[in-house]
């Protein structure tokens, strides 16, 4: 084997190694991109679920406030009636 053949063999090995490294880097980049997309979709779903839960909580709070207002009105009316009934007995 001559030095030219040895040099060509070494260049061929280096070229094959460079191609292998480039392929590995590209495969890793594609894998990272896919993982990023998966993670972003999970965050989007989490944000949607959080928004839905927040809207449901706001709806339930509005219902509770309406019921509380009704209870306050009824309590005020009941107190008024009790005062009216109790006045003749207090004199």
């Amino acid at each position: 084997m001559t030095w030219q053949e040895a040099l060509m063999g070494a260049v061929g090995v280096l070229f094959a190694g460079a191609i292998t490294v480039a392929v590995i880097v590209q495969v890793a980049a594609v894998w990272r991109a896919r993982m990023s997309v998966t993670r972003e979709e999970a965050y989007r779903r989490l944000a949607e679920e959080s928004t839905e839960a927040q809207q449901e909580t706001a709806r339930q709070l509005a219902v509770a406030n309406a019921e509380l207002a009704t209870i306050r009105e009824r309590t005020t009316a009941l107190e008024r009636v009790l005062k009216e009934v109790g006045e003749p007995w207090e004199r």
Side-chain angles (χ1 to χ4, degrees):
M1 178 180 336
T2 65
W3 67 272
Q4 289 104 351
E5 292 172 342
L7 182 63
M8 289 303 290
V11 168
V13 168
L14 288 174
F15 184 68
I19 289 176
T20 302
V21 168
V23 167
I24 290 172
V25 167
Q26 289 302 315
V27 166
V30 168
W31 180 76
R32 281 192 308 268
R34 286 183 181 164
M35 296 307 293
S36 178
V37 167
T38 301
R39 187 173 44 249
E40 288 173 8
E41 287 176 355
Y43 286 143
R44 181 185 51 76
R45 281 193 308 271
L46 181 61
E48 288 173 356
E49 290 172 1
S50 296
T51 301
E52 290 172 4
Q54 193 173 25
Q55 289 172 347
E56 177 62 20
T57 301
R59 186 192 65 75
Q60 290 176 355
L61 181 60
V63 168
N65 282 338
E67 290 176 357
L68 182 59
T70 302
I71 291 171
R72 283 182 182 155
E73 290 172 6
R74 293 174 71 184
T75 303
T76 303
L78 184 60
E79 287 174 349
R80 194 175 316 121
V81 167
L82 288 175
K83 283 182 183 177
E84 291 173 1
V85 169
E87 283 181 10
W89 297 105
E90 293 175 1
R91 294 182 194 174

